[in-house]
């Protein structure tokens, strides 16, 4: 799993007396700070336990192999081990796992390295690589799930221990689902939890930082929405001009692109291309600053405006008119021609 390591430095910036929490630099292009697994992946990455791929992705939803999971479990708790040469790169980690009892005697030599790992196998490896030191004995003699009979008998003590430690859990319906494959994101969560309070404290720090970051982002987005609407309202009365995209005259998409460009937002020039390039939302989700699209003189989204609230939008309507307001659901024209809505912030 050679690749780029994810940075985890948290910082606090000040802007006009306001604390702005900056999230860690997300070197993994497919993980966002607010993803449910981000804190766990970042914690393991800061320990150099997990790494990404050469294309800067982590691929959190891909199934993890037995060899990969064992390597991570051994790296997380034991001194790093040199990759093997002349045989499978993970073989030295496999031998260490075998010595720890995380896999059976001789299993390293016959295991299908690239086969996916199941939840019950992951439980055994986590418990085996952790060793007895620091493990609390479960209070109950048996962990009961509705599908406990599906757990291989040899793996039941490990499943019991891993669940008792809080490293794995069951599903809302009371099942453990022992044969389910494990994704890279799920593996990161299991491994981090198995490392104890120190690692979990780090995860909580990351989650709190993400929450603060999102609050700041939402506040900034709200200010930007208000500023966009102010700009749009200032342009009321400017005449419609086909192909126009300046205050000398606007067509519908020229009006929208001009307003947004004043705030550093670039969108394609045509209504149809604009629709394809933006995040679609339902008409019920409209908030001021969102875009509304209509089907006019041709099929598809051929007209666009900026929603201002109270079921109104502002736009450059048509020849002979000026930038003005209309009702989104006007039954005489715009209502029947609604095509969709999009969010840009």
């Amino acid at each position: 799993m050679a690749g780029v390591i994810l940075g985890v430095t948290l910082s606090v910036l000040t802007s006009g007396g306001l604390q702005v929490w900056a999230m860690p630099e997300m070197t993994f292009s497919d993980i966002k700070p607010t993803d449910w697994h981000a804190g766990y992946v970042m914690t393991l990455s800061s320990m150099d336990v997990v790494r990404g791929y050469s294309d800067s992705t982590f691929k959190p939803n891909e199934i993890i192999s037995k060899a990969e999971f064992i390597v991570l479990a051994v790296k997380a708790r034991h001194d790093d081990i040199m990759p093997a040469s002349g045989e499978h790169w993970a073989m030295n980690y496999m031998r260490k796992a075998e010595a720890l009892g995380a896999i059976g005697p001789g299993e390293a030599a016959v295991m299908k390295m690239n086969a996916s790992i199941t939840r019950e196998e992951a439980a055994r490896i986590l418990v085996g690589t952790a060793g007895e030191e620091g493990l609390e004995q479960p209070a109950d003699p048996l962990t009961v799930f509705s599908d406990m009979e599906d757990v291989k008998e040899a793996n039941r003590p490990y499943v019991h221990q891993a669940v008792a430690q809080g490293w794995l859990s069951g599903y809302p319906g009371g099942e453990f689902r022992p044969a389910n494959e494990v994704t890279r994101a799920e593996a990161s969560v299991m491994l981090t939890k198995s490392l104890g309070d120190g690692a979990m404290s780090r995860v909580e720090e990351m989650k709190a930082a993400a929450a603060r970051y999102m609050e700041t982002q939402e506040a900034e987005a709200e200010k930007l929405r208000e500023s966009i609407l102010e700009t749009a309202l200032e342009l009321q009365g400017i005449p419609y001009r086909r192909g126009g995209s300046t205050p000398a005259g606007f067509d519908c998409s020229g009006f929208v692109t001009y307003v947004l460009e004043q705030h550093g937002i670039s969108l394609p020039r045509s209504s149809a291309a604009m629709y394809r390039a933006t995040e679609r939302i339902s008409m019920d989700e409209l908030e001021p600053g969102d875009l509304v699209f209509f089907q006019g003189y041709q099929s598809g989204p051929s007209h666009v405006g900026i929603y201002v609230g109270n079921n109104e939008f502002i736009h450059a309507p048509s020849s002979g008119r000026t930038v003005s307001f209309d009702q989104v659901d006007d039954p005489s024209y715009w209502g029947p021609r609604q095509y969709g809505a999009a969010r840009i912030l």
Side-chain angles (χ1 to χ4, degrees):
M1 294 195 298
V4 183
I5 299 175
L6 177 65
V8 294
T9 302
L10 301 176
S11 59
V12 181
L13 310 176
T14 57
S15 176
L18 173 69
Q19 276 195 335
V20 180
W21 287 84
M23 282 303 297
E25 180 183 352
M26 299 304 291
T27 309
F28 297 140
S29 59
D30 53 354
I31 293 184
K32 296 183 236 179
T34 51
D35 286 341
W36 65 271
H37 49 265
Y40 299 94
V41 175
M42 291 155 64
T43 295
L44 291 181
S45 183
S46 70
M47 301 166 60
D48 197 19
V49 173
V50 299
R51 298 184 180 183
Y53 291 87
S54 57
D55 62 357
S56 297
T57 62
F58 183 74
K59 298 181 173 57
N61 297 319
E62 280 199 358
I63 300 301
I64 194 167
S65 71
K66 291 182 179 181
E68 288 173 324
F69 191 88
I70 290 171
V71 168
L72 297 183
V74 170
K75 283 182 70 175
R77 291 184 174 275
H78 303 277
D79 293 337
D80 202 6
I81 297 170
M82 292 295 295
S85 59
E87 53 187 340
H88 193 283
W89 66 273
M91 188 55 73
N92 287 341
Y93 292 91
M94 308 294 285
R95 294 188 181 103
K96 178 67 173 181
E98 194 174 289
L100 293 167
I103 58 177
E107 195 172 349
V110 298
M111 181 180 288
K112 294 180 179 178
M113 301 288 200
N114 295 325
S116 58
I117 193 164
T118 65
R119 281 167 53 81
E120 64 178 303
E121 291 169 336
R124 177 173 182 175
I125 290 163
L126 288 175
V127 173
T129 53
E132 295 183 5
E133 184 179 354
L135 288 183
E136 299 177 4
Q137 285 302 311
D140 301 323
L142 186 65
T143 300
V144 178
F145 296 101
S146 61
D147 57 351
M148 196 65 185
E149 69 279 1
D150 296 334
V151 179
K152 293 182 177 68
E153 188 170 351
N155 289 334
R156 288 182 189 178
Y158 302 101
V159 170
H160 181 200
Q161 183 69 266
V163 171
Q165 300 297 332
W167 304 342
L168 280 79
S169 59
Y171 288 83
E175 312 98 350
F176 181 72
R177 302 181 191 174
N180 275 21
E181 296 173 323
V182 178
T183 66
R184 286 168 57 81
E186 290 169 334
S188 297
V189 174
M190 295 174 186
L191 285 161
T192 307
K193 288 181 176 180
S194 76
L195 295 177
D197 293 342
M200 289 305 297
S201 175
R202 184 63 170 163
V203 171
E204 292 306 314
E205 289 176 13
M206 305 257 182
K207 287 181 179 179
R212 291 189 291 264
Y213 171 76
M214 288 306 297
E215 288 175 5
T216 300
Q217 291 294 97
E218 289 168 6
E220 291 300 315
E222 185 60 31
K223 288 180 184 176
L224 184 54
R225 283 176 179 274
E226 292 173 1
S227 185
I228 286 171
L229 292 179
E230 287 176 5
T231 300
L233 297 180
E234 289 170 358
L235 298 173
Q236 287 182 86
I238 290 179
Y240 179 91
R241 176 177 293 176
R242 185 176 179 82
S245 57
T246 73
F250 293 111
D251 63 14
C252 68
S253 57
F255 168 70
V256 171
T257 54
Y258 177 84
V259 170
L260 296 180
E261 282 172 357
Q262 307 314 300
H263 301 277
I265 301 172
S266 297
L267 287 180
R269 177 63 172 80
S270 74
S271 302
M274 197 180 294
Y275 183 77
R276 290 192 298 268
T278 49
E279 175 191 352
R280 240 57 60 71
I281 59 173
S282 71
M283 300 297 282
D284 293 337
E285 296 176 288
L286 277 172
E287 295 180 6
D290 291 335
L291 303 184
V292 285
F293 294 86
F294 302 88
Q295 182 169 297
Y297 61 90
Q298 62 185 31
S299 62
S302 57
H303 190 81
V304 62
I306 300 173
Y307 186 69
V308 298
N310 297 321
N311 215 31
E312 289 187 315
F313 70 108
I314 187 169
H315 63 145
S318 59
S319 180
R321 294 185 61 187
T322 63
V323 172
S324 55
F325 295 97
D326 272 305
Q327 293 285 318
V328 172
D329 60 355
D330 173 13
S332 65
Y333 193 84
W334 297 112
R337 289 171 171 77
Q338 287 181 7
Y339 192 87
R343 180 152 294 155
I344 53 174
L345 298 176

